[in-house]
Amino acid sequence: MIKTDFLVIGSGIAGLSYALKVAQHHPDKKVLVITKTRVDETNTKYAQGGIAGVTDLETDSYESHIQDTLIAGDGLCNPHTVEIVVKEGPERIQDIIDWGTQFDKDSEGDFKKGKEGGHSAFRILHHKDVTGKEIERALLETVGKQKNIEIAKHWFVIDLITQHHLGYLVTKSTPDIECYGVYVLDQHSNKIEKILSRITLLATGGNGQAYRTTTNPKIATGDGVAMVYRAKGRIENMEFIQFHPTALFEAGVSPSFLITEAVRGDGGILRNKAGDAFMVKYDGARKDLAPRDIVARAIDSEMKKAGTEHVYLDCRHMDKDKFIEHFPNIYEKCRSIGIDIAEHLIPVAPAAHYSCGGIKTDEWGRTSIKNLYACGECASTGLHGANRLASNSLLEALVFSHRCYLDSVQRPEGIAFQESIPDWNPGGTTEPKEMILITQSLKELQLLMSDYVGIVRTNVRLQRAMKRLDLLHEEIEALYEATAVSPQLCEVRNLITVGYLIVKEAQFRKESRGLHFNTDYPEKSSLVQNIIL
Ligand SMILES: Cc1cc2nc3c(=O)[nH]c(=O)nc-3n(C[C@H](O)[C@H](O)[C@H](O)COP(=O)(O)OP(=O)(O)OC[C@H]3O[C@@H](n4cnc5c(N)ncnc54)[C@H](O)[C@@H]3O)c2cc1C
């Protein structure tokens, strides 16, 4: 058994920035960070475009960033949360600069600011086209110097521990469900440990792996959301999955390489098979820089009309040297597959990219379960509403990890460890005999989510998806009961839960709003509501 005052699950921007603040505040207390694979293998590392923030009040304003976020969110943002994130954001960006993050600057020493879809000002700080990698580097270097932070790599958190593990019946209506820690699979020893914690933070990231085509790395399997749902906590707005309009199309390659929106911000133009710049038909004013949902649906429609698997991004007219300077990673990736951006069109298609909903939290990152906080992509704070504004997610992770820190930092004194938690009971399970049962379930799930619960939905497709999910759920639960747990088994189980939550909440939403587009209800309803399960 392990005991820790602060337990952090996740080593991306949300988990590491929280861990640093708590550890610096309490140099005498241990902070344990758990990560299921390598420490830097996170969605954070892959962020390209940058982080949005009002850092120059002469050329930009809080009001403008607030309005852009509210417009993208299509009526479902919590305006109070939006104001918090926009106004506290610049200070939090300063935190990561103080920890060593280098954002690109011009010859005068001012930040070079980019613009992405839905933003009405240049306000995106970036480090070339590898912003997330730079932030993760700086965070890990700073964490490395903080003696009271311990990072446990290749540890897979299986479940949250609550009163359920003390033998009580816990349901959605149980008041005061409490989190006492987690059960975790140490992949070095293959043993399941019990970790007792006074405060637990979930920073487990996204769930793009529920779809066949995604920009998210393999770790993005919605574990935190699924764990909270199993523990009877509240989950909201899962139907709002953002598809990035422009992932590089390479048949059979997963995850898909992202071509950041900033390329369109710098002048890249989308063209269909016939070579037409089609965005003008869908959003005459904003064209290629319309919000992502509009661009993704436009591409989906052009692909369906032409019967192609992709459209094209045209950068041939752009200054090649500037392109290489701003997007060296994209340039190299294209070159590596024989595409010279100055001469060739880049084939692109939409890919599952970001989960706007997740574990419901309040303005301090508290979940519906006591002593359990959540921030980053796994959380639903009210910022994104029905659609995330580009580059607002890294910002949200920083603002809310800080708020979780402020709210939780003094609390451990008053929280006792729950000593009577039993050890993990493996029951009569045996080693899995056939991996194919797990890998096939994953493939089936990804296919059905992409085919029936993608950019455009219908009632019939959602019904079909739910029927197949029921079967997959039944099969995976049987496997889970009978075999020893493995990360692969747990991930598929979690993804099936995530799929169920996306479909269920999509079925409840009898309208089209933001990222959720159902042809049976093409209009927006006058009833403005978040759907919570
Ligand atoms: C290709 C790409 C480009 C993007 N570009 C941008 C951008 O330009 N701007 C922007 O604002 N956002 C961008 N995003 C989104 C942004 O990167 C993410 O939303 C953000 O980094 C999420 O950070 P996080 O800390 O919440 O989670 P992550 O960084 O994903 O970290 C999750 C952590 O949780 C751990 N974990 C998960 N489950 C378990 C478990 N069961 N047990 C133990 N550990 C677990 C993982 O190991 C990992 O350490 C992009 C995302 C992608 C994929």
Side-chain angles (χ1 to χ4, degrees):
M1 188 209 342
I2 298 163
K3 285 185 185 174
T4 183
D5 290 303
F6 295 96
L7 174 63
V8 180
I9 306 166
S11 57
I13 188 170
L16 292 182
S17 53
Y18 172 83
L20 264 173
K21 296 210 166 179
V22 171
Q24 285 172 353
H25 189 101
H26 283 302
D28 54 319
K29 290 197 191 300
K30 189 174 109 183
V31 179
L32 176 61
V33 178
I34 295 182
T35 176
K36 65 179 171 176
T37 60
R38 289 201 326 266
V39 68
D40 68 342
E41 189 53 8
T42 59
N43 270 11
T44 300
K45 186 173 88 173
Y46 295 92
Q48 291 185 349
I51 181 162
V54 179
T55 51
D56 181 352
L57 285 169
E58 278 178 21
T59 56
D60 197 2
S61 69
Y62 294 132
E63 197 41 44
S64 158
H65 191 183
I66 288 171
Q67 279 312 317
D68 291 345
T69 304
L70 292 172
I71 290 167
D74 208 5
L76 278 195
C77 301
N78 176 338
H80 180 54
T81 308
V82 175
E83 191 176 340
I84 286 174
V85 172
V86 168
K87 291 195 171 162
E88 295 179 9
E91 266 184 71
R92 302 288 74 84
I93 291 177
Q94 189 58 47
D95 289 340
I96 53 170
I97 293 173
D98 294 343
W99 288 330
T101 303
Q102 305 275 336
F103 290 115
D104 292 347
K105 290 187 174 167
D106 61 21
S107 52
E108 318 261 276
D110 294 327
F111 288 123
K112 284 185 183 168
K113 293 188 277 291
K115 190 174 174 186
E116 296 187 43
H119 285 276
S120 52
F122 283 82
R123 62 167 74 101
I124 321 265
L125 302 191
H126 51 84
H127 178 96
K128 301 197 165 47
D129 56 353
V130 285
T131 308
K133 196 170 171 197
E134 167 63 8
I135 293 176
E136 187 73 17
R137 178 202 63 74
L139 283 168
L140 282 172
E141 267 182 37
T142 315
V143 163
K145 292 180 200 142
Q146 190 68 37
K147 297 272 178 289
N148 55 330
I149 299 182
E150 187 190 328
I151 299 192
K153 289 171 263 184
H154 298 280
W155 279 30
F156 189 99
V157 175
I158 301 169
D159 257 326
L160 300 170
I161 301 175
T162 67
Q163 290 96 323
H164 166 77
H165 298 92
L166 293 170
Y168 295 105
L169 176 69
V170 177
T171 68
K172 284 269 169 214
S173 39
T174 303
D176 295 337
I177 304 174
E178 290 180 29
C179 176
Y180 305 128
V182 299
Y183 288 114
V184 60
L185 172 65
D186 173 352
Q187 295 174 67
H188 305 284
S189 65
N190 224 14
K191 287 208 176 100
I192 294 175
E193 299 278 356
K194 174 175 70 185
I195 303 182
L196 298 186
S197 54
R198 298 185 205 266
I199 297 287
T200 304
L201 175 88
L202 285 172
T204 47
N207 54 38
Q209 286 291 326
Y211 288 85
R212 187 181 36 186
T213 311
T214 177
T215 61
N216 289 193
K218 299 280 180 215
I219 57 113
T221 53
D223 299 348
V225 168
M227 284 189 263
V228 169
Y229 186 69
R230 279 197 292 275
K232 313 294 180 204
R234 298 287 165 193
I235 307 292
E236 92 178 338
N237 286 355
M238 292 293 289
E239 68 276 33
F240 299 117
I241 299 292
Q242 186 170 71
F243 286 80
H244 197 289
T246 54
L248 180 65
F249 176 78
E250 290 179 279
V253 174
S254 175
S256 304
F257 182 83
L258 181 71
I259 309 280
T260 170
E261 213 153 309
V263 173
R264 278 175 284 133
D266 276 11
I269 297 170
L270 287 163
R271 297 191 184 278
N272 59 19
K273 192 180 169 198
D276 300 329
F278 57 83
M279 275 314 298
V280 69
K281 285 190 291 184
Y282 298 89
D283 193 314
R286 294 171 291 189
K287 299 189 196 101
D288 296 88
L289 285 178
R292 287 182 181 173
D293 56 324
I294 295 176
V295 180
R297 274 201 298 278
I299 295 177
D300 191 60
S301 159
E302 292 294 320
M303 280 167 30
K304 289 203 166 103
K305 269 191 251 166
T308 53
E309 287 188 276
H310 59 78
V311 293
Y312 295 100
L313 184 62
D314 188 357
C315 302
R316 293 173 300 181
H317 54 288
M318 293 166 67
D319 182 317
K320 187 171 176 179
D321 291 337
K322 273 200 187 145
F323 190 102
I324 295 173
E325 191 196 332
H326 193 171
F327 310 113
N329 196 28
I330 295 174
Y331 177 78
E332 268 313 312
K333 173 69 193 179
C334 289
R335 212 180 56 87
S336 74
I337 57 169
I339 296 170
D340 177 350
I341 60 99
E343 284 182 29
H344 307 124
L345 296 167
I346 308 171
V348 292
H353 184 56
Y354 186 81
S355 173
C356 294
I359 304 159
K360 184 170 171 48
T361 70
D362 68 7
E363 65 186 288
W364 296 102
R366 302 177 195 128
T367 70
S368 59
I369 298 178
K370 269 173 83 179
N371 307 332
L372 180 71
Y373 291 77
C375 62
E377 190 165 340
C378 68
S380 178
T381 63
L383 176 71
H384 306 303
N387 190 5
R388 173 190 72 134
L389 183 67
S391 288
N392 261 359
S393 39
L394 294 171
L395 187 73
E396 181 199 38
L398 286 178
V399 168
F400 272 89
S401 66
H402 183 77
R403 291 190 142 243
C404 291
Y405 147 73
L406 289 178
D407 195 71
S408 64
V409 76
Q410 302 296 356
R411 295 193 48 226
E413 313 301 339
I415 303 170
F417 288 116
Q418 180 53 264
E419 306 278 353
S420 40
I421 299 295
D423 288 338
W424 177 263
N425 178 6
T429 56
T430 57
E431 287 305 313
K433 292 187 185 64
E434 293 187 312
M435 264 307 270
I436 189 75
L437 298 178
I438 297 173
T439 52
Q440 197 56 29
S441 293
L442 178 61
K443 272 192 210 151
E444 280 178 40
L445 172 80
Q446 291 174 331
L447 262 183
L448 82 87
M449 292 300 291
S450 296
D451 289 345
Y452 300 141
V453 202
I455 296 170
V456 176
R457 301 161 181 179
T458 67
N459 288 347
V460 173
R461 288 183 197 177
L462 292 176
Q463 269 164 21
R464 271 196 169 206
M466 191 51 103
K467 271 196 187 159
R468 280 151 180 74
L469 277 167
D470 278 344
L471 185 61
L472 279 174
H473 172 73
E474 203 180 291
E475 288 170 357
I476 213 74
E477 287 306 312
L479 204 59
Y480 187 80
E481 289 305 316
T483 52
V485 291
S486 65
Q488 295 86 343
L489 175 58
C490 291
E491 286 183 343
V492 176
R493 183 176 182 236
N494 290 337
L495 282 170
I496 290 171
T497 301
V498 163
Y500 165 82
L501 289 165
I502 296 171
V503 174
K504 194 81 198 156
E505 297 197 340
Q507 285 182 319
F508 275 123
R509 189 165 289 287
K510 309 276 187 233
E511 61 169 346
S512 289
R513 182 187 291 274
L515 298 165
H516 173 73
F517 188 76
N518 183 336
T519 54
D520 290 308
Y521 311 107
E523 303 300 327
K524 215 179 297 184
S525 158
S526 55
L527 187 66
V528 179
Q529 59 171 348
N530 292 306
I531 293 170
I532 304 172
L533 285 175

